Amino acid sequence: MTAQIAVFLVLAAVAVAGAISLILQRHPIHSALSLITVMVALAGLYLLQGAEFVAAVQIIVYGGAIMVLFVFVIMLLNAGEEERTNMSSMAHYVGVPLGVVFVIEMAYWIGRATLHMNARASGVVSTRDLSNLLFREYVFPFELTSFLILIALLGALVLARREESE
Amino acid sequence: MVPTSYFLVLSAVLFGLGVVAFVFKRNILTIFMSIELMLNAVNLAFVTFSRALGQLQGQVFVFFVIVVAAAEAAVGLGIVILIHRNRGTLNVERVDSLKD
Amino acid sequence: MNEFAVQHPILAVALPKIVVLLFVLLTALAYLTWFERKVVAHIQARWGPYRVGPHGLLQPLADGVKFLFKEDVTPAGADKFAYFLAPFLALSLAITSIAVIPFGPKEFSVFGQSTPLSITNLNIGLLVLFAITSMGVYGVALAGWSSNSKYPLLGGLRSSAQMVSYELALTMSVVGVILMAGTFNLSEIVNAQQGFHWGFVPRWNLIGWPFPQVLGFLLFFTSAVAETNRAPFDLAEAESELVAGFHTEYASFKFAMFFMAEYASMITVSCLATILFFGGWLSPFPQTPIWAWTHYIPAAAFAAAGLALIVHGVRYITMFGRVVLPVLGLALCGLGVLCGQPGMLDFVQGPFWFLLKIAIFLFIYVWVRGTLPRFRYDQLMGFGWKLLLPLSIVNVVLTSLAIVWTQQ
């Protein structure tokens, strides 16, 4: 077993543990922390594949902005523990096993289908190549995303604003 | 060198767990988080395929996914705040006035 | 030993480097508190710490012992896990960021293995720093939320909102430098600043070509002070409103960890400002034979400081001081002589100038705290969003225009 595979196994274990913890935790803050763990582990996996810039962006945008927004809203709304709804026996005895079967099934078939796939590129992707592609070939979609963000910004503003009371 | 299929299996497991979380959780914030988890799993697949095919386009796509996720989080959390203000709860089963 | 180093480069080279750097950093953190108290005291015409050891030099040690032996209180109803996680997260992230800082150009050898003067030299060093900084918000937010108390919650909300807002301006203000250097690698950014205008004015990014980053530097430093939650942007701990902000409920060593995290991020920001805008380890003097005497500045500075300490120390009030201060002075003189040796002369240039610049920035940090009054919260947010962010975008546009224009 090479060192890379060992690193992969550790990071993958952390990511899966985080994702399971996201489901099991009752408090939204704990779920959010689990998700942040998954994201950091994924950033490590991107680094392992030589995608340095994506790894940094993953942590800066997902970890440092989007999840902060989540934590912020949880703090702001003072969201408490999730209410336990009376799980019907149907959900308990059929739903949970079905969920497990679904995950295993998907992983199995995807693993089987790609078993003999070999990585064609190796080494580190240079940020320069990536930005050339992003700002030359994909400059139009890139500009469109800025419109998307602007619209999202306005939408969030309109939604969260308190109505002026007469 | 880690085989490509390892990454893809991990991506599938994470995506599946995201789907399970989406179905099982009752808190609207956690449901949002499970969507983010699924998007992350897809990003991992994009980066893996980008390396497997030797093309950078996969990584460019990850940026677009991240941007869309950010926009979605901003609007979605705005809606969550609005629901909480009007209904006083975050439990999706109690937001059911369209049912009656 | 050499064979062992070849077989296990991580154990033999990286680990000792990390241990030494961590030791130096933690000592520097402790003495930074002493430095800050002294400087602020002198600004306010007081003496500052004076009792524990000569000139209060043992005060950090006494503070550390005090923190260790205080009662560690956990508030009732606190979320235990997050309450414990928050200070660890804050401190470990603040300390990790020092790992990508390069302290000098030269390589030195440990057990026959040549290694650079930094723990790692990453292609995306600058981005890693920003990633670590952006994760630092969680320490503050979790501390505020998990304490289950209203002042910490408000303080935590305030400072996390502030950190997220100023991070934008911080990142945008650096883009100009990245454009001019064309890389995220911190060592290469420093190397891109070599050279001199008209033979004697250093070509640091602050006054660089094609577009001087004066505006970028001012924006960077302002938003960095806000990002580290320091005065005059320390609204999270506005005593008159919020008791102590997010760490109100923390006591004992956990409080000390927040304290150390704040000072560690001050050091990181100073390092970053030095690297990005002030030429990092580059000497401000040209490397021509006429200026060769400047290589002896480190040696002369240490020796002069040592001599001054000896002269002052022998006349100190207490017996203890009359022994300790001259000994310290002698040590400084010895360091000066060591720096003057032909073998060391080149090696100490980089670290000396780098540490000197960092010290100047730390002084400015403390100076600002001793001088300026605190902002009001709405002023703070307006300042960040309506002034700093637009100006940083203007800086990016102007820099890229200048680069395109000069390249044609």
Side-chain angles (χ1 to χ4, degrees):
Chain A
M1 193 165 69
T2 62
Q4 283 204 343
I5 292 187
V7 171
F8 169 82
L9 288 179
V10 170
L11 288 174
V14 170
V16 172
I20 292 174
S21 156
L22 167 76
I23 302 176
L24 295 183
Q25 295 289 350
R26 299 230 144 259
H27 202 290
I29 283 249
H30 292 157
S31 294
L33 284 179
S34 319
L35 188 53
I36 294 162
T37 319
V38 177
M39 285 164 176
V40 173
L42 282 182
L45 289 171
Y46 296 160
L47 275 185
L48 199 59
Q49 304 201 56
E52 288 181 331
F53 192 66
V54 177
V57 167
Q58 162 91 0
I59 290 192
I60 293 174
V61 178
Y62 261 125
I66 299 181
M67 289 317 291
V68 169
L69 210 60
F70 272 96
V71 172
F72 212 74
V73 169
I74 297 171
M75 280 165 74
L76 203 66
L77 300 182
N78 204 7
E81 300 221 332
E82 202 172 355
E83 289 174 48
R84 267 177 197 279
T85 41
N86 297 327
M87 234 190 209
S88 63
S89 54
M90 178 82 166
H92 212 272
Y93 293 112
V94 181
V96 177
L98 264 183
V100 174
V101 167
F102 171 70
V103 172
I104 292 174
E105 190 85 342
M106 225 166 87
Y108 175 74
W109 286 106
I110 287 183
R112 234 181 95 135
T114 56
L115 198 56
H116 301 294
M117 211 166 175
N118 284 320
R120 225 178 270 172
S122 60
V124 174
V125 172
S126 89
T127 310
R128 194 177 291 273
D129 295 343
L130 199 60
S131 49
N132 273 336
L133 197 63
L134 192 61
F135 287 104
R136 295 227 166 107
E137 207 169 320
Y138 291 96
V139 69
F140 188 62
F142 183 83
E143 292 298 328
L144 274 183
T145 55
S146 65
F147 272 102
L148 180 72
I149 290 181
L150 181 66
I151 293 165
L153 193 79
L154 292 176
L157 197 71
V158 169
L159 280 174
R161 218 179 78 188
R162 239 171 245 282
E163 302 269 319
E164 300 284 325
S165 54
E166 296 92 70
Chain B
M1 208 70 162
V2 187
T4 306
S5 56
Y6 283 25
F7 286 103
L8 291 170
V9 167
L10 177 66
S11 162
V13 169
L14 288 180
F15 189 86
L17 287 172
V19 173
V20 171
F22 186 83
V23 176
F24 273 79
K25 298 303 272 188
R26 290 286 159 266
N27 189 315
I28 192 163
L29 280 164
T30 339
I31 289 177
F32 252 114
M33 286 180 215
S34 44
I35 297 177
E36 300 293 337
L37 179 59
M38 287 190 266
L39 287 173
N40 266 290
V42 172
N43 280 352
L44 179 61
F46 269 128
V47 172
T48 310
F49 278 121
S50 158
R51 191 182 67 146
L53 303 175
Q55 287 179 330
L56 282 181
Q57 271 84 347
Q59 297 193 17
V60 171
F61 232 89
V62 172
F63 288 112
F64 293 134
V65 172
I66 289 179
V67 170
V68 172
E72 174 238 332
V75 176
L77 289 173
I79 295 174
V80 169
I81 290 177
L82 211 60
I83 289 176
H84 187 264
R85 195 182 292 155
N86 290 339
R87 306 237 142 216
T89 179
L90 289 175
N91 190 334
V92 279
E93 296 200 333
R94 285 169 192 266
V95 186
D96 55 359
S97 54
L98 275 179
K99 231 176 181 176
D100 311 319
Chain C
M1 197 65 216
N2 283 354
E3 278 172 36
F4 178 76
V6 172
Q7 278 164 359
H8 302 279
I10 292 181
L11 271 182
V13 180
L15 205 61
K17 269 205 294 191
I18 293 173
V19 170
V20 168
L21 186 61
L22 208 57
F23 178 74
V24 171
L25 181 67
L26 290 178
T27 317
L29 286 184
Y31 275 90
L32 194 54
T33 61
W34 174 83
F35 175 74
E36 172 164 39
R37 289 174 70 177
K38 271 294 189 195
V39 172
V40 170
H42 282 284
I43 287 175
Q44 296 165 347
R46 295 184 284 118
W47 282 110
Y50 215 88
R51 293 278 168 183
V52 192
H55 287 285
L57 271 175
L58 294 179
Q59 187 72 41
L61 205 66
D63 283 341
V65 172
K66 181 191 75 178
F67 276 131
L68 271 178
F69 285 103
K70 273 198 170 183
E71 189 189 354
D72 195 358
V73 191
T74 308
D79 186 295
K80 289 267 169 26
F81 178 69
Y83 185 77
F84 277 94
L85 181 68
F88 280 99
L89 205 61
L91 183 59
S92 53
L93 286 174
I95 286 184
T96 312
S97 48
I98 209 81
V100 293
I101 303 282
F103 289 89
K106 294 277 189 291
E107 306 221 322
F108 67 104
S109 57
V110 184
F111 308 129
Q113 293 274 79
S114 156
T115 174
L117 258 179
S118 63
I119 291 180
T120 60
N121 186 13
L122 295 172
N123 285 336
I124 49 163
L126 191 55
L127 283 177
V128 167
L129 269 182
F130 281 130
I132 293 171
T133 323
S134 69
M135 294 297 280
V137 188
Y138 292 113
V140 173
L142 284 180
W145 173 78
S146 65
S147 299
N148 191 30
S149 165
K150 60 184 170 239
Y151 292 123
L153 182 67
L154 288 173
L157 274 175
R158 265 192 184 187
S159 43
S160 43
Q162 174 183 340
M163 285 164 94
V164 171
S165 318
Y166 276 84
E167 213 172 85
L168 286 173
L170 186 74
T171 318
M172 289 300 284
S173 62
V174 169
V175 174
V177 171
I178 299 172
L179 285 172
M180 279 166 53
T183 173
F184 289 116
N185 186 318
L186 292 172
S187 305
E188 286 174 22
I189 288 178
V190 173
N191 281 331
Q193 299 177 55
Q194 275 169 346
F196 290 84
H197 299 295
W198 312 294
F200 65 98
V201 179
R203 246 186 202 192
W204 298 342
N205 274 333
L206 184 77
I207 40 179
W209 179 258
F211 191 74
Q213 295 292 318
V214 181
L215 181 62
F217 169 69
L218 292 176
L219 292 168
F220 173 82
F221 200 66
T222 316
S223 37
V225 172
E227 178 75 19
T228 44
N229 279 326
R230 292 273 308 177
F233 302 103
D234 57 342
L235 285 130
E237 38 194 289
E239 292 90 350
S240 46
E241 303 164 33
L242 285 173
V243 190
F246 61 90
H247 56 65
T248 305
E249 300 288 347
Y250 281 88
S252 179
F253 203 65
K254 292 212 269 301
F255 170 72
M257 286 168 96
F258 278 119
F259 209 65
M260 282 151 79
E262 185 182 318
Y263 284 92
S265 46
M266 265 166 73
I267 291 182
T268 312
V269 164
S270 306
C271 291
L272 205 51
T274 308
I275 289 171
L276 295 176
F277 298 97
F278 285 84
W281 60 72
L282 298 175
S283 155
F285 304 105
Q287 302 298 314
T288 48
I290 315 166
W291 296 88
W293 56 272
T294 59
H295 282 207
Y296 289 95
I297 287 179
F302 282 126
L307 283 178
L309 200 57
I310 293 172
V311 170
H312 166 77
V314 290
R315 289 178 294 157
Y316 196 72
I317 320 161
T318 60
M319 191 59 216
F320 185 54
R322 261 174 284 175
V323 177
V324 171
L325 291 180
V327 169
L328 273 178
L330 271 179
L332 274 176
C333 283
L335 192 63
V337 172
L338 190 68
C339 291
Q341 297 304 314
M344 291 293 284
L345 204 55
D346 273 345
F347 183 74
V348 293
Q349 293 300 315
F352 175 78
W353 291 113
F354 192 65
L355 295 179
L356 185 68
K357 290 170 190 171
I358 292 176
I360 292 172
F361 273 112
L362 290 174
F363 175 75
I364 294 176
Y365 247 112
V366 178
W367 186 15
V368 165
R369 184 197 152 172
T371 313
L372 295 177
R374 192 175 280 140
F375 273 77
R376 214 171 58 215
Y377 195 66
D378 58 319
Q379 288 174 337
L380 172 92
M381 282 313 212
F383 186 62
W385 284 103
K386 293 178 192 159
L387 189 70
L388 291 189
L389 187 61
L391 275 182
S392 60
I393 294 173
V394 166
N395 184 45
V396 171
V397 172
L398 288 181
T399 309
S400 36
L401 281 181
I403 289 173
V404 170
W405 196 48
T406 48
Q407 272 177 357
Q408 273 172 355

